[in-house]
Amino acid sequence: MASTPVPVPYEDQEAVIVGDSFARELARYGWQVQQARPPYTDPLVLRQRWLRCPNGSEYSHRQLYTFLLSTPCRHALRRLLERLPCLYGDLLAAGPGELPGGPFLKLLIDQELLLQQEIHLLAGPDLLRLHDLGHTFEWLVAEWLRLYGIAYYKRLVPVRHSVSLAAPALPGDIDVLAFLDEGPVLVECKTRTRTIEEAHFARFVERARLLRPFAAIFLIDSENPLPEERVSQCARALQQTGAAPLHGSGGFYFTAERIYLMNTSLSFQHRLTEALADARRRWRGQPRAA
């Protein structure tokens, strides 16, 4: 039996978050923001709609977030978006991990992110307005960093996604900008390895050299080892600016200046934790200005 749906209170969450110290941290570094996408109401980010769905199913307010933290779940959803509309039977016949299945598929249907019409499966309105999961991945990384602060600092981390700075003036936007106690963290998020060009690395390194963050992370949403071509592109961008050389292997590369190139492996949380721990070791070991 249908029930009265209970929406996730994103507006209330955002009213609290926008009062964090993000603006104060920007001012402390002498930076001015031109634009940043809203933390919880960005229409380009895939959102869970309800705590209690119209069909009566109930979910915690972070259930979709929890699913999307999984690299295989994100990849399965991307593959599904490329195939919609499709037959519902295609999902049931898909191999493990190829397309969303089980509890994840049930959530997508219960939340009406996917719509069933007889034997067909269609994108719901919230999925239709998304071109891809690029902004959703940025938000996921930002939200993880926000909550990471509770365990590490006993407070939320001030962080935004899709940030454009007016001062210093930078081309394009910073996918994720967070302020840890040690300093700013920049994260460049890429969801498709094959679309990355050397110019993306050059811009990333230029920003890191200009803003001098605590850590600058180029994060590629892929479980596979990073292609040698991409590693070489990043190494050339570093060399051209006189930055420290790139070291590492597989899906984790680093420089002495705390610039990182990483894949998401099975968990981007693990990769980010690894990078931040490495950055802290290097940061504590460097000489301080008198």
Side-chain angles (χ1 to χ4, degrees), residues 133-212:
L133 294 182
H135 283 283
T136 300
F137 185 53
E138 293 174 12
W139 176 84
L140 279 168
V141 171
E143 183 69 357
W144 182 85
L145 284 167
R146 180 178 289 115
L147 300 175
Y148 165 86
I150 295 177
Y152 204 87
Y153 304 115
K154 311 303 181 187
R155 62 168 178 80
L156 295 174
V157 166
V159 57
R160 298 290 186 274
H161 68 282
S162 295
V163 179
S164 299
L165 293 181
L170 296 173
D173 61 6
I174 300 170
D175 289 344
V176 179
L177 174 60
F179 291 98
L180 276 58
D181 285 1
E182 296 85 353
V185 172
L186 313 180
V187 185
E188 180 77 10
C189 300
K190 295 296 182 186
T191 57
R192 295 183 183 277
T193 302
R194 65 178 180 269
T195 62
I196 299 173
E197 300 176 355
E198 190 162 333
H200 295 134
F201 290 111
R203 186 174 63 182
F204 168 71
V205 173
E206 180 184 0
R207 287 175 177 170
R209 300 287 281 176
L210 177 63
L211 299 178
R212 302 179 65 84

Side-chain angles (χ1 to χ4, degrees), residues 5 9 17 49 52 63 69 151 182 198 201 211 221 225 248 252:
I17 290 298
R49 302 180 71 183
R52 183 168 65 240
Q63 189 59 65
L69 286 177
E182 296 85 353
E198 190 162 333
F201 290 111
L211 299 178
D221 194 15
F252 188 90

